[in-house]
mmCIF file of all heavy atoms in Angstrom:
data_model
loop_
_atom_site.group_PDB
_atom_site.id
_atom_site.type_symbol
_atom_site.label_atom_id
_atom_site.label_comp_id
_atom_site.label_asym_id
_atom_site.label_seq_id
_atom_site.Cartn_x
_atom_site.Cartn_y
_atom_site.Cartn_z
ATOM 1 N N THR J 1 85.443 -26.517 120.396
ATOM 2 C CA THR J 1 84.854 -26.067 121.652
ATOM 3 C C THR J 1 83.563 -25.328 121.441
ATOM 4 O O THR J 1 82.534 -25.510 122.110
ATOM 5 C CB THR J 1 85.902 -24.926 122.320
ATOM 6 O OG1 THR J 1 87.085 -25.571 122.622
ATOM 7 C CG2 THR J 1 85.201 -24.442 123.618
ATOM 8 N N ASN J 2 83.471 -24.623 120.253
ATOM 9 C CA ASN J 2 82.134 -23.935 119.976
ATOM 10 C C ASN J 2 81.101 -25.111 119.618
ATOM 11 O O ASN J 2 79.892 -24.879 120.067
ATOM 12 C CB ASN J 2 82.308 -23.036 118.678
ATOM 13 C CG ASN J 2 82.919 -21.714 118.964
ATOM 14 O OD1 ASN J 2 82.934 -21.303 120.206
ATOM 15 N ND2 ASN J 2 83.456 -20.948 118.051
ATOM 16 N N LYS J 3 81.554 -26.075 118.915
ATOM 17 C CA LYS J 3 80.527 -27.148 118.604
ATOM 18 C C LYS J 3 80.149 -27.738 119.857
ATOM 19 O O LYS J 3 78.875 -28.014 120.073
ATOM 20 C CB LYS J 3 81.229 -28.196 117.686
ATOM 21 C CG LYS J 3 80.392 -29.389 117.308
ATOM 22 C CD LYS J 3 79.118 -28.906 116.443
ATOM 23 C CE LYS J 3 78.191 -30.160 116.200
ATOM 24 N NZ LYS J 3 76.923 -29.694 115.646
ATOM 25 N N GLY J 4 81.060 -27.989 120.811
ATOM 26 C CA GLY J 4 80.685 -28.546 122.132
ATOM 27 C C GLY J 4 79.746 -27.670 122.908
ATOM 28 O O GLY J 4 78.761 -28.011 123.405
ATOM 29 N N ASN J 5 79.981 -26.375 122.747
ATOM 30 C CA ASN J 5 79.005 -25.328 123.441
ATOM 31 C C ASN J 5 77.581 -25.362 122.835
ATOM 32 O O ASN J 5 76.687 -25.313 123.675
ATOM 33 C CB ASN J 5 79.545 -23.970 123.249
ATOM 34 C CG ASN J 5 80.860 -23.679 123.996
ATOM 35 O OD1 ASN J 5 81.208 -24.534 124.811
ATOM 36 N ND2 ASN J 5 81.567 -22.548 123.675
ATOM 37 N N THR J 6 77.523 -25.549 121.576
ATOM 38 C CA THR J 6 76.147 -25.596 120.869
ATOM 39 C C THR J 6 75.356 -26.754 121.365
ATOM 40 O O THR J 6 74.310 -26.826 121.698
ATOM 41 C CB THR J 6 76.135 -25.456 119.392
ATOM 42 O OG1 THR J 6 76.868 -26.680 118.921
ATOM 43 C CG2 THR J 6 76.750 -24.166 118.942
ATOM 44 N N LEU J 7 76.196 -28.017 121.484
ATOM 45 C CA LEU J 7 75.545 -29.114 122.031
ATOM 46 C C LEU J 7 75.180 -29.061 123.460
ATOM 47 O O LEU J 7 74.109 -29.631 123.907
ATOM 48 C CB LEU J 7 76.550 -30.384 121.814
ATOM 49 C CG LEU J 7 76.717 -30.817 120.349
ATOM 50 C CD1 LEU J 7 77.931 -31.571 120.099
ATOM 51 C CD2 LEU J 7 75.482 -31.451 119.867
ATOM 52 N N PHE J 8 76.089 -28.435 124.267
ATOM 53 C CA PHE J 8 75.806 -28.218 125.717
ATOM 54 C C PHE J 8 74.426 -27.438 125.763
ATOM 55 O O PHE J 8 73.652 -27.757 126.686
ATOM 56 C CB PHE J 8 76.960 -27.414 126.299
ATOM 57 C CG PHE J 8 76.851 -27.347 127.829
ATOM 58 C CD1 PHE J 8 77.382 -28.248 128.727
ATOM 59 C CD2 PHE J 8 76.070 -26.300 128.446
ATOM 60 C CE1 PHE J 8 77.300 -28.096 130.126
ATOM 61 C CE2 PHE J 8 76.088 -26.086 129.767
ATOM 62 C CZ PHE J 8 76.561 -27.055 130.600
ATOM 63 N N ALA J 9 74.396 -26.396 124.992
ATOM 64 C CA ALA J 9 73.181 -25.528 125.028
ATOM 65 C C ALA J 9 71.891 -26.294 124.815
ATOM 66 O O ALA J 9 70.886 -26.048 125.229
ATOM 67 C CB ALA J 9 73.345 -24.287 124.260
ATOM 68 N N SER J 10 72.090 -27.312 123.904
ATOM 69 C CA SER J 10 70.952 -28.203 123.536
ATOM 70 C C SER J 10 70.788 -29.399 124.430
ATOM 71 O O SER J 10 70.079 -30.266 124.234
ATOM 72 C CB SER J 10 71.153 -28.790 122.096
ATOM 73 O OG SER J 10 71.505 -27.712 121.174
ATOM 74 N N ARG J 11 71.578 -29.371 125.610
ATOM 75 C CA ARG J 11 71.480 -30.389 126.630
ATOM 76 C C ARG J 11 71.947 -31.768 126.191
ATOM 77 O O ARG J 11 71.618 -32.836 126.743
ATOM 78 C CB ARG J 11 70.073 -30.484 127.179
ATOM 79 C CG ARG J 11 69.624 -29.261 127.978
ATOM 80 C CD ARG J 11 68.275 -29.498 128.659
ATOM 81 N NE ARG J 11 67.903 -28.307 129.509
ATOM 82 C CZ ARG J 11 67.251 -27.323 129.084
ATOM 83 N NH1 ARG J 11 66.753 -27.284 127.838
ATOM 84 N NH2 ARG J 11 66.917 -26.221 129.826
ATOM 85 N N ASP J 12 72.734 -31.812 125.123
ATOM 86 C CA ASP J 12 73.366 -32.984 124.667
ATOM 87 C C ASP J 12 74.671 -33.074 125.327
ATOM 88 O O ASP J 12 75.792 -32.990 124.766
ATOM 89 C CB ASP J 12 73.445 -33.058 123.139
ATOM 90 C CG ASP J 12 73.756 -34.563 122.709
ATOM 91 O OD1 ASP J 12 74.167 -35.316 123.468
ATOM 92 O OD2 ASP J 12 73.611 -34.772 121.391
ATOM 93 N N TYR J 13 74.791 -33.434 126.677
ATOM 94 C CA TYR J 13 75.981 -33.254 127.448
ATOM 95 C C TYR J 13 76.987 -34.306 126.967
ATOM 96 O O TYR J 13 78.257 -33.917 126.991
ATOM 97 C CB TYR J 13 75.710 -33.347 128.937
ATOM 98 C CG TYR J 13 74.660 -32.310 129.281
ATOM 99 C CD1 TYR J 13 73.464 -32.658 129.851
ATOM 100 C CD2 TYR J 13 74.909 -30.908 129.151
ATOM 101 C CE1 TYR J 13 72.592 -31.705 130.307
ATOM 102 C CE2 TYR J 13 74.114 -29.968 129.392
ATOM 103 C CZ TYR J 13 72.811 -30.350 130.072
ATOM 104 O OH TYR J 13 72.020 -29.321 130.433
ATOM 105 N N GLU J 14 76.640 -35.408 126.723
ATOM 106 C CA GLU J 14 77.585 -36.604 126.387
ATOM 107 C C GLU J 14 78.418 -36.217 125.130
ATOM 108 O O GLU J 14 79.600 -36.277 125.010
ATOM 109 C CB GLU J 14 76.955 -37.923 126.244
ATOM 110 C CG GLU J 14 76.300 -38.523 127.612
ATOM 111 C CD GLU J 14 77.333 -38.846 128.589
ATOM 112 O OE1 GLU J 14 78.504 -39.054 128.398
ATOM 113 O OE2 GLU J 14 76.910 -39.060 129.754
ATOM 114 N N LYS J 15 77.569 -35.780 124.188
ATOM 115 C CA LYS J 15 78.258 -35.453 122.876
ATOM 116 C C LYS J 15 79.080 -34.101 123.111
ATOM 117 O O LYS J 15 80.196 -34.057 122.454
ATOM 118 C CB LYS J 15 77.140 -35.191 121.867
ATOM 119 C CG LYS J 15 77.549 -35.834 120.428
ATOM 120 C CD LYS J 15 76.279 -35.700 119.616
ATOM 121 C CE LYS J 15 76.609 -36.596 118.355
ATOM 122 N NZ LYS J 15 75.334 -36.603 117.474
ATOM 123 N N SER J 16 78.631 -33.184 123.880
ATOM 124 C CA SER J 16 79.439 -31.947 123.964
ATOM 125 C C SER J 16 80.776 -32.316 124.697
ATOM 126 O O SER J 16 81.765 -31.712 124.336
ATOM 127 C CB SER J 16 78.672 -30.961 124.806
ATOM 128 O OG SER J 16 78.570 -31.287 126.087
ATOM 129 N N ALA J 17 80.813 -33.244 125.610
ATOM 130 C CA ALA J 17 82.038 -33.676 126.261
ATOM 131 C C ALA J 17 83.040 -34.278 125.221
ATOM 132 O O ALA J 17 84.140 -34.002 125.370
ATOM 133 C CB ALA J 17 81.664 -34.656 127.274
ATOM 134 N N GLU J 18 82.509 -35.003 124.363
ATOM 135 C CA GLU J 18 83.340 -35.574 123.247
ATOM 136 C C GLU J 18 84.087 -34.527 122.445
ATOM 137 O O GLU J 18 85.279 -34.613 122.225
ATOM 138 C CB GLU J 18 82.629 -36.521 122.334
ATOM 139 C CG GLU J 18 82.068 -37.877 122.946
ATOM 140 C CD GLU J 18 83.190 -38.586 123.634
ATOM 141 O OE1 GLU J 18 84.289 -38.710 122.934
ATOM 142 O OE2 GLU J 18 83.155 -39.017 124.783
ATOM 143 N N PHE J 19 83.459 -33.405 122.119
ATOM 144 C CA PHE J 19 84.050 -32.330 121.449
ATOM 145 C C PHE J 19 84.995 -31.546 122.258
ATOM 146 O O PHE J 19 86.082 -31.166 121.733
ATOM 147 C CB PHE J 19 82.943 -31.357 120.860
ATOM 148 C CG PHE J 19 82.321 -31.928 119.550
ATOM 149 C CD1 PHE J 19 81.103 -32.566 119.504
ATOM 150 C CD2 PHE J 19 83.080 -31.637 118.364
ATOM 151 C CE1 PHE J 19 80.648 -33.014 118.421
ATOM 152 C CE2 PHE J 19 82.512 -32.133 117.135
ATOM 153 C CZ PHE J 19 81.290 -32.743 117.090
ATOM 154 N N TYR J 20 84.729 -31.350 123.457
ATOM 155 C CA TYR J 20 85.648 -30.662 124.384
ATOM 156 C C TYR J 20 86.979 -31.551 124.556
ATOM 157 O O TYR J 20 88.068 -31.087 124.489
ATOM 158 C CB TYR J 20 85.056 -30.458 125.837
ATOM 159 C CG TYR J 20 83.933 -29.443 125.747
ATOM 160 C CD1 TYR J 20 82.759 -29.769 126.598
ATOM 161 C CD2 TYR J 20 83.927 -28.323 125.006
ATOM 162 C CE1 TYR J 20 81.696 -28.843 126.602
ATOM 163 C CE2 TYR J 20 82.796 -27.455 124.953
ATOM 164 C CZ TYR J 20 81.731 -27.807 125.742
ATOM 165 O OH TYR J 20 80.711 -26.839 125.842
ATOM 166 N N LYS J 21 86.717 -32.809 124.687
ATOM 167 C CA LYS J 21 87.920 -33.793 124.810
ATOM 168 C C LYS J 21 88.763 -33.739 123.501
ATOM 169 O O LYS J 21 89.860 -33.790 123.511
ATOM 170 C CB LYS J 21 87.500 -35.188 125.145
ATOM 171 C CG LYS J 21 87.054 -35.342 126.586
ATOM 172 C CD LYS J 21 86.812 -36.702 126.979
ATOM 173 C CE LYS J 21 85.414 -37.203 126.809
ATOM 174 N NZ LYS J 21 85.122 -38.492 127.325
ATOM 175 N N GLU J 22 88.062 -33.668 122.337
ATOM 176 C CA GLU J 22 88.824 -33.613 121.089
ATOM 177 C C GLU J 22 89.587 -32.342 120.959
ATOM 178 O O GLU J 22 90.787 -32.373 120.532
ATOM 179 C CB GLU J 22 87.893 -33.775 119.980
ATOM 180 C CG GLU J 22 88.685 -33.997 118.600
ATOM 181 C CD GLU J 22 87.729 -34.268 117.412
ATOM 182 O OE1 GLU J 22 86.471 -34.700 117.565
ATOM 183 O OE2 GLU J 22 88.176 -34.121 116.319
ATOM 184 N N ALA J 23 89.006 -31.259 121.471
ATOM 185 C CA ALA J 23 89.668 -29.907 121.319
ATOM 186 C C ALA J 23 90.884 -29.944 122.292
ATOM 187 O O ALA J 23 92.054 -29.511 121.830
ATOM 188 C CB ALA J 23 88.762 -28.954 121.951
ATOM 189 N N LEU J 24 90.881 -30.698 123.451
ATOM 190 C CA LEU J 24 92.009 -30.844 124.340
ATOM 191 C C LEU J 24 93.042 -31.769 123.752
ATOM 192 O O LEU J 24 94.301 -31.528 123.994
ATOM 193 C CB LEU J 24 91.442 -31.357 125.599
ATOM 194 C CG LEU J 24 90.772 -30.277 126.535
ATOM 195 C CD1 LEU J 24 90.053 -30.974 127.681
ATOM 196 C CD2 LEU J 24 91.749 -29.226 127.075
ATOM 197 N N ARG J 25 92.615 -32.700 122.890
ATOM 198 C CA ARG J 25 93.550 -33.688 122.313
ATOM 199 C C ARG J 25 94.399 -32.919 121.302
ATOM 200 O O ARG J 25 95.591 -33.074 121.115
ATOM 201 C CB ARG J 25 92.839 -34.840 121.659
ATOM 202 C CG ARG J 25 92.585 -35.989 122.597
ATOM 203 C CD ARG J 25 92.207 -37.208 121.913
ATOM 204 N NE ARG J 25 90.945 -37.215 121.171
ATOM 205 C CZ ARG J 25 89.689 -37.339 121.685
ATOM 206 N NH1 ARG J 25 89.503 -37.658 122.969
ATOM 207 N NH2 ARG J 25 88.618 -37.207 120.952
ATOM 208 N N ASN J 26 93.678 -31.907 120.630
ATOM 209 C CA ASN J 26 94.447 -31.148 119.631
ATOM 210 C C ASN J 26 95.255 -29.922 120.201
ATOM 211 O O ASN J 26 96.237 -29.557 119.724
ATOM 212 C CB ASN J 26 93.432 -30.492 118.683
ATOM 213 C CG ASN J 26 92.863 -31.666 117.748
ATOM 214 O OD1 ASN J 26 93.406 -32.597 117.384
ATOM 215 N ND2 ASN J 26 91.484 -31.453 117.389
ATOM 216 N N ASP J 27 94.765 -29.448 121.409
ATOM 217 C CA ASP J 27 95.603 -28.418 122.068
ATOM 218 C C ASP J 27 95.383 -28.583 123.553
ATOM 219 O O ASP J 27 94.297 -28.155 124.062
ATOM 220 C CB ASP J 27 95.098 -27.016 121.625
ATOM 221 C CG ASP J 27 95.795 -25.871 122.216
ATOM 222 O OD1 ASP J 27 96.680 -26.178 123.150
ATOM 223 O OD2 ASP J 27 95.512 -24.769 122.052
ATOM 224 N N SER J 28 96.266 -29.241 124.338
ATOM 225 C CA SER J 28 96.078 -29.486 125.704
ATOM 226 C C SER J 28 95.999 -28.215 126.510
ATOM 227 O O SER J 28 95.625 -28.255 127.687
ATOM 228 C CB SER J 28 97.229 -30.368 126.158
ATOM 229 O OG SER J 28 98.364 -29.705 126.024
ATOM 230 N N SER J 29 96.357 -27.073 126.013
ATOM 231 C CA SER J 29 96.257 -25.789 126.761
ATOM 232 C C SER J 29 95.074 -24.969 126.469
ATOM 233 O O SER J 29 94.931 -23.717 126.813
ATOM 234 C CB SER J 29 97.517 -24.921 126.423
ATOM 235 O OG SER J 29 97.513 -24.478 125.155
ATOM 236 N N CYS J 30 94.046 -25.686 125.875
ATOM 237 C CA CYS J 30 92.754 -24.948 125.559
ATOM 238 C C CYS J 30 91.963 -24.797 126.791
ATOM 239 O O CYS J 30 91.105 -25.708 127.119
ATOM 240 C CB CYS J 30 92.113 -25.729 124.451
ATOM 241 S SG CYS J 30 90.531 -24.827 123.895
ATOM 242 N N THR J 31 92.087 -23.715 127.515
ATOM 243 C CA THR J 31 91.463 -23.641 128.731
ATOM 244 C C THR J 31 89.955 -23.575 128.744
ATOM 245 O O THR J 31 89.283 -23.959 129.608
ATOM 246 C CB THR J 31 91.920 -22.388 129.567
ATOM 247 O OG1 THR J 31 91.827 -21.264 128.721
ATOM 248 C CG2 THR J 31 93.452 -22.557 129.962
ATOM 249 N N GLU J 32 89.443 -22.982 127.581
ATOM 250 C CA GLU J 32 87.895 -22.931 127.478
ATOM 251 C C GLU J 32 87.287 -24.427 127.433
ATOM 252 O O GLU J 32 86.378 -24.683 128.035
ATOM 253 C CB GLU J 32 87.601 -22.195 126.251
ATOM 254 C CG GLU J 32 87.826 -20.760 126.222
ATOM 255 C CD GLU J 32 89.288 -20.389 125.725
ATOM 256 O OE1 GLU J 32 90.078 -21.355 125.492
ATOM 257 O OE2 GLU J 32 89.613 -19.237 125.546
ATOM 258 N N ALA J 33 87.986 -25.260 126.595
ATOM 259 C CA ALA J 33 87.432 -26.592 126.474
ATOM 260 C C ALA J 33 87.614 -27.297 127.819
ATOM 261 O O ALA J 33 86.621 -28.069 128.246
ATOM 262 C CB ALA J 33 88.294 -27.364 125.457
ATOM 263 N N LEU J 34 88.655 -27.058 128.521
ATOM 264 C CA LEU J 34 88.814 -27.810 129.842
ATOM 265 C C LEU J 34 87.825 -27.312 130.880
ATOM 266 O O LEU J 34 87.196 -28.123 131.628
ATOM 267 C CB LEU J 34 90.313 -27.596 130.352
ATOM 268 C CG LEU J 34 90.624 -28.397 131.668
ATOM 269 C CD1 LEU J 34 90.455 -29.905 131.441
ATOM 270 C CD2 LEU J 34 92.136 -28.080 131.984
ATOM 271 N N TYR J 35 87.567 -26.050 130.902
ATOM 272 C CA TYR J 35 86.524 -25.495 131.883
ATOM 273 C C TYR J 35 85.173 -25.941 131.429
ATOM 274 O O TYR J 35 84.378 -26.442 132.338
ATOM 275 C CB TYR J 35 86.565 -23.828 131.721
ATOM 276 C CG TYR J 35 85.699 -23.215 132.714
ATOM 277 C CD1 TYR J 35 86.149 -22.775 133.930
ATOM 278 C CD2 TYR J 35 84.341 -22.817 132.430
ATOM 279 C CE1 TYR J 35 85.404 -22.254 134.926
ATOM 280 C CE2 TYR J 35 83.438 -22.331 133.327
ATOM 281 C CZ TYR J 35 84.053 -21.924 134.540
ATOM 282 O OH TYR J 35 83.300 -21.277 135.573
ATOM 283 N N ASN J 36 84.826 -25.924 130.149
ATOM 284 C CA ASN J 36 83.484 -26.399 129.693
ATOM 285 C C ASN J 36 83.400 -27.857 129.914
ATOM 286 O O ASN J 36 82.251 -28.321 130.185
ATOM 287 C CB ASN J 36 83.218 -26.092 128.226
ATOM 288 C CG ASN J 36 83.099 -24.460 128.151
ATOM 289 O OD1 ASN J 36 83.056 -23.788 129.155
ATOM 290 N ND2 ASN J 36 83.083 -24.017 126.891
ATOM 291 N N LEU J 37 84.369 -28.669 129.759
ATOM 292 C CA LEU J 37 84.286 -30.131 130.050
ATOM 293 C C LEU J 37 83.964 -30.291 131.608
ATOM 294 O O LEU J 37 83.126 -31.150 131.918
ATOM 295 C CB LEU J 37 85.696 -30.687 129.678
ATOM 296 C CG LEU J 37 85.761 -32.295 129.796
ATOM 297 C CD1 LEU J 37 84.727 -33.021 129.055
ATOM 298 C CD2 LEU J 37 87.165 -32.808 129.458
ATOM 299 N N GLY J 38 84.665 -29.473 132.393
ATOM 300 C CA GLY J 38 84.416 -29.624 133.840
ATOM 301 C C GLY J 38 82.932 -29.211 134.120
ATOM 302 O O GLY J 38 82.300 -29.991 134.949
ATOM 303 N N LEU J 39 82.350 -28.306 133.478
ATOM 304 C CA LEU J 39 80.885 -27.846 133.749
ATOM 305 C C LEU J 39 80.019 -28.951 133.217
ATOM 306 O O LEU J 39 79.063 -29.292 133.803
ATOM 307 C CB LEU J 39 80.605 -26.586 132.980
ATOM 308 C CG LEU J 39 81.208 -25.249 133.572
ATOM 309 C CD1 LEU J 39 80.706 -24.201 132.644
ATOM 310 C CD2 LEU J 39 80.634 -25.127 134.896
ATOM 311 N N THR J 40 80.483 -29.617 132.027
ATOM 312 C CA THR J 40 79.640 -30.766 131.441
ATOM 313 C C THR J 40 79.608 -31.888 132.441
ATOM 314 O O THR J 40 78.475 -32.401 132.722
ATOM 315 C CB THR J 40 80.181 -31.226 130.065
ATOM 316 O OG1 THR J 40 80.262 -30.036 129.327
ATOM 317 C CG2 THR J 40 79.372 -32.133 129.470
ATOM 318 N N TYR J 41 80.774 -32.272 133.000
ATOM 319 C CA TYR J 41 80.815 -33.467 133.986
ATOM 320 C C TYR J 41 80.029 -33.102 135.185
ATOM 321 O O TYR J 41 79.318 -33.899 135.764
ATOM 322 C CB TYR J 41 82.327 -33.605 134.344
ATOM 323 C CG TYR J 41 83.068 -34.410 133.257
ATOM 324 C CD1 TYR J 41 84.424 -34.225 133.073
ATOM 325 C CD2 TYR J 41 82.524 -35.447 132.464
ATOM 326 C CE1 TYR J 41 85.138 -35.027 132.208
ATOM 327 C CE2 TYR J 41 83.221 -36.181 131.566
ATOM 328 C CZ TYR J 41 84.558 -35.898 131.386
ATOM 329 O OH TYR J 41 85.193 -36.586 130.443
ATOM 330 N N LYS J 42 80.010 -31.726 135.569
ATOM 331 C CA LYS J 42 79.264 -31.393 136.727
ATOM 332 C C LYS J 42 77.760 -31.501 136.475
ATOM 333 O O LYS J 42 77.083 -31.945 137.354
ATOM 334 C CB LYS J 42 79.617 -29.989 137.097
ATOM 335 C CG LYS J 42 78.901 -29.423 138.370
ATOM 336 C CD LYS J 42 79.455 -27.990 138.508
ATOM 337 C CE LYS J 42 78.657 -27.249 139.727
ATOM 338 N NZ LYS J 42 79.155 -25.805 139.783
ATOM 339 N N LYS J 43 77.357 -31.151 135.278
ATOM 340 C CA LYS J 43 75.983 -31.239 134.865
ATOM 341 C C LYS J 43 75.531 -32.614 134.907
ATOM 342 O O LYS J 43 74.346 -32.939 135.261
ATOM 343 C CB LYS J 43 75.891 -30.664 133.550
ATOM 344 C CG LYS J 43 74.530 -30.130 133.129
ATOM 345 C CD LYS J 43 74.155 -28.807 133.735
ATOM 346 C CE LYS J 43 72.791 -28.297 133.209
ATOM 347 N NZ LYS J 43 72.330 -27.292 134.038
ATOM 348 N N ILE J 44 76.301 -33.598 134.468
ATOM 349 C CA ILE J 44 75.836 -35.021 134.300
ATOM 350 C C ILE J 44 76.220 -35.788 135.678
ATOM 351 O O ILE J 44 76.345 -36.991 135.693
ATOM 352 C CB ILE J 44 76.343 -35.692 133.015
ATOM 353 C CG1 ILE J 44 77.894 -35.722 132.934
ATOM 354 C CG2 ILE J 44 75.628 -35.114 131.829
ATOM 355 C CD1 ILE J 44 78.420 -36.371 131.648
ATOM 356 N N ASN J 45 76.572 -35.083 136.606
ATOM 357 C CA ASN J 45 76.946 -35.575 138.030
ATOM 358 C C ASN J 45 78.056 -36.524 138.017
ATOM 359 O O ASN J 45 78.119 -37.488 138.808
ATOM 360 C CB ASN J 45 75.680 -36.363 138.472
ATOM 361 C CG ASN J 45 75.498 -36.105 139.947
ATOM 362 O OD1 ASN J 45 75.991 -35.084 140.572
ATOM 363 N ND2 ASN J 45 74.799 -37.074 140.642
#
């Protein structure tokens, strides 16, 4: 999730989404990754 956050901050939204999805594959209850994935999808419309 942190890796995804650093990519999100660098505006690399597609790549950040991949890290959030991987975090969710490892722990489906990771609410931070799910929230940030939602924000990423919102950002890329």
Side-chain angles (χ1 to χ4, degrees):
T1 301
N2 281 344
K3 180 63 183 167
N5 292 347
T6 60
L7 290 162
F8 185 94
S10 308
R11 295 190 171 89
D12 192 345
Y13 303 120
E14 296 290 345
K15 220 171 194 171
S16 71
E18 288 308 313
F19 277 95
Y20 297 139
K21 284 191 269 190
E22 191 177 340
L24 287 164
R25 280 193 294 273
N26 292 329
D27 178 5
S28 59
S29 65
C30 183
T31 53
E32 293 89 350
L34 189 54
Y35 187 89
N36 292 352
L37 182 61
L39 288 181
T40 306
Y41 283 145
K42 184 177 172 186
K43 199 81 173 164
I44 57 179
N45 217 24

